[in-house]
Amino acid sequence: MANIENQKFIALDISRKNYLSWVLDVKLHLSAKKLRHTIDEDNAASNKERATALIFLSHHIDDGLEYEYLTVENPLELWKNLNDRFEHLKAVVLSNVLNDWSQLRFQDFKTVSEYNSTLFKIAS
């Protein structure tokens, strides 16, 4: 598909590396466009809103994922499919973050700013 709209942020990578940040970006951008309700259960979105949201979502996923979900015509259905595929990453990331948190020691850093940077990275 040719891009009708330039990407506003990095597309969802098929390797799943950026899923959690991608979800946040999508929700924020859809909210800004007043289209967030199109990915909520039992929404009353118009056909135009659904089409706009679907175009936005399809332009912000990897080409491999786009071809895999080419027949999906509802943004809610696409959202659920991607969520089912990648949602388990929260558990993986959480266990990694908890491990990083338990290993974090102030004395391992040369400066307070390096420690704070690592701390905020873990927290986010």
Side-chain angles (χ1 to χ4, degrees), residues 37 40-45 76 80:
H37 64 281
D40 294 334
E41 290 286 338
D42 301 325
N43 66 66
L76 176 60
K80 284 181 178 180

Side-chain angles (χ1 to χ4, degrees), residues 3-12 21-22 25-26 28-30 32-33 55-61:
N3 274 349
I4 295 172
E5 175 180 285
N6 292 334
Q7 289 185 342
K8 306 292 185 196
F9 50 88
I10 296 174
L12 176 59
S21 62
W22 179 84
D25 287 338
V26 167
L28 289 173
H29 278 80
L30 287 178
K33 292 175 173 264
I55 289 168
F56 180 82
L57 287 172
S58 66
H59 286 274
H60 289 88
I61 60 175

Side-chain angles (χ1 to χ4, degrees), residues 41-52:
E41 290 286 338
D42 301 325
N43 66 66
S46 69
N47 287 338
K48 180 181 178 184
E49 290 173 326
R50 284 190 188 111
T52 304

Side-chain angles (χ1 to χ4, degrees), residues 27-107:
K27 286 180 178 180
L28 289 173
H29 278 80
L30 287 178
S31 293
K33 292 175 173 264
K34 297 183 178 13
L35 294 171
R36 171 77 185 268
H37 64 281
T38 60
I39 59 170
D40 294 334
E41 290 286 338
D42 301 325
N43 66 66
S46 69
N47 287 338
K48 180 181 178 184
E49 290 173 326
R50 284 190 188 111
T52 304
L54 189 60
I55 289 168
F56 180 82
L57 287 172
S58 66
H59 286 274
H60 289 88
I61 60 175
D62 184 83
D63 288 341
L65 290 170
E66 186 176 353
Y67 291 124
E68 186 173 336
Y69 296 109
L70 195 59
T71 60
V72 176
E73 296 180 359
N74 186 337
L76 176 60
E77 184 181 346
L78 178 59
W79 185 257
K80 284 181 178 180
N81 288 342
L82 293 171
N83 189 41
D84 290 344
R85 182 176 183 148
F86 297 120
E87 184 67 21
H88 70 282
L89 292 177
K90 285 184 181 180
V92 173
V93 169
L94 180 60
S95 66
N96 290 341
V97 168
L98 290 174
N99 183 47
D100 290 347
W101 181 257
S102 68
Q103 302 291 324
L104 185 66
R105 297 180 335 166
F106 186 74
Q107 61 202 25

